[in-house]
Structure formats: C-alpha cells, structure tokens
Amino acid sequence: MARVSNSVRPPFRTDQIVDVAVDVFLERGYDATSMGDLAKAAGITKSSFYHHVSSKEELFELGVSRALDALFGVLKEPEALTGSAASRVRHIIRQMVKIIAARLPEVALLVRAHGNTAAEERAMRRRKQFDQAMTGLVEQAVRDGDLRLTMEPVLFSRLALGAAVSVVEWYRPTGRVTAEQLTDAVEHLIFDSPVATPAVEPTA
C-alpha cells in the first residue's frame, strides 16, 4: 500500500513521489507498474506527475539510489578505511544492517531487481561493485591473519552479505526487535560462529 493516501494534499515534492513509487513498485512489481498507476497512487494527474519526473525508470533509479548511496557511503567512513581489514569488514556489515533497517522499502526494491530493464541492470551493477569491495576486504583480512575461515573468502563474503540483506524480508521497525538488537544479532551470527574466528594472540 502506498505511503500517501489519495486525499487532497499540498503540492508534492519529488522525494514524496519517490516514496509513493517505491511502495507501488513493491506491491505491483516494477515491470507491471505504469505511470498511470503511480499517478493514481499519489492522487495526482499524470501531467502533474510528469512535472516531477520524466519516467518510471527515473523513479526506480531514485528509489534504489537511496539504498545504494547509503551503502557506498559506508565504504567512505573512517572505520571502513582505517584499522585492520577484519575490523573494517565488521564495521561495514553493522552499518549495512542499520541501513537496511532504516531503508527497508528501498533495499527491498534493490534486492528484487532482476535485470529485466536497463535501470535494473544499472542498479545491479552498482550492487555488485559494493559486493566486490566487501569481498576484497575479506580476502585482505584472511591474508593478514585477522580472520580465519573454514571456507573460501568469496563464499564467506556472499553468505555474510546475504545474511544481512535477508532481514529485509521479515524485519519490521515496529516489531519487538530493535535495529540495534538486529545489528548485534547479525554481527554475532556472521563473526562469532565456527566458520569465522577472529585471530587470537596466544597467551604466555
């Protein structure tokens, strides 16, 4: 259900249009959604809708960019750029979960993109770039001896990212689990299990 009702309202801002579009895309599917559907959900005419955006493709890209820009922003944070590779990986995963909790609709739209359109392909390429950056850090952590794995680094990276992203299908901010509890749980699942053991200095 779209976030904005069909009642009379003040003029829309573009970000509100994007809110509506993301919800409709999730409800109907991107391919099956028309500009008419989006205008109807927003409660405005198609001509008014085109005043804000040129196409549903633009709306899709604006929606998924909210998630992607936030994720790539994490890679530029000081904690993701300095310190051991293992600590940087842990920081990125924690921040990733927090972003997912805060941007559930946009992340869900990104995750459900299948590459059927040019806009979806572009989103998937950006997501792959993020995944590759994460895998590179995991590989560095293994080489440094800061992360001991029972599997290949690329497999661990994919499973870790998958575990973080999977919460988009069930987590609800209004539920019993807080975002901080969710973040701690995912971190514990990924890093404090037999498959991934932080290196421990031998005691004297």
Side-chain angles (χ1 to χ4, degrees):
M1 187 66 65
R3 303 176 213 189
V4 182
S5 68
N6 292 335
S7 58
V8 177
R9 58 177 65 80
F12 268 89
R13 300 189 306 272
T14 300
D15 62 336
Q16 292 174 306
I17 293 288
V18 176
D19 287 344
V20 172
V22 168
D23 285 341
V24 177
F25 289 150
L26 289 175
E27 183 178 327
R28 298 177 60 90
Y30 174 68
D31 291 341
T33 301
S34 68
M35 287 294 278
D37 294 328
L38 295 171
K40 181 178 179 180
I44 58 178
T45 64
K46 285 180 66 174
S47 59
S48 296
F49 213 83
Y50 280 112
H51 175 73
H52 295 276
V53 292
S54 61
S55 64
K56 74 169 187 176
E57 182 177 73
E58 181 184 356
L59 284 167
F60 174 85
E61 292 193 298
L62 288 171
V64 295
S65 288
R66 289 175 172 178
L68 286 165
D69 290 348
L71 290 172
F72 276 94
V74 171
L75 299 181
K76 299 177 182 178
E77 293 177 354
E79 296 88 346
L81 295 172
T82 60
S84 70
S87 68
R88 292 159 66 188
V89 169
R90 190 182 288 260
H91 173 77
I92 291 169
I93 287 292
R94 285 188 61 86
Q95 294 301 99
M96 184 178 177
V97 176
K98 291 178 182 179
I99 288 169
I100 293 171
R103 292 270 183 201
L104 281 172
E106 292 87 352
V107 176
L109 186 61
L110 174 63
V111 170
R112 295 172 191 174
H114 298 297
N116 296 329
T117 65
E120 289 177 298
E121 288 179 354
R122 287 191 290 271
M124 291 176 69
R125 281 198 298 270
R126 286 194 69 193
R127 181 183 173 186
K128 185 177 181 180
Q129 290 171 355
F130 179 88
D131 293 353
Q132 289 172 336
M134 182 69 172
T135 298
L137 274 178
V138 171
E139 291 172 339
Q140 183 64 52
V142 172
R143 287 195 298 270
D144 293 344
D146 294 328
L147 192 63
R148 298 170 182 168
L149 302 179
T150 60
M151 63 182 70
E152 290 298 315
V154 65
L155 178 57
F156 171 79
S157 180
R158 288 174 179 172
L159 289 173
L161 291 169
V165 169
S166 68
V167 304
V168 77
E169 299 297 341
W170 60 266
Y171 178 71
R172 296 296 177 266
T174 56
R176 296 175 60 184
V177 179
T178 67
E180 191 65 26
Q181 290 173 325
L182 178 67
T183 301
D184 290 342
V186 173
E187 181 184 16
H188 176 72
L189 176 68
I190 294 171
F191 295 102
D192 302 326
S193 66
V195 298
T197 306
V200 178
E201 294 294 331
T203 57

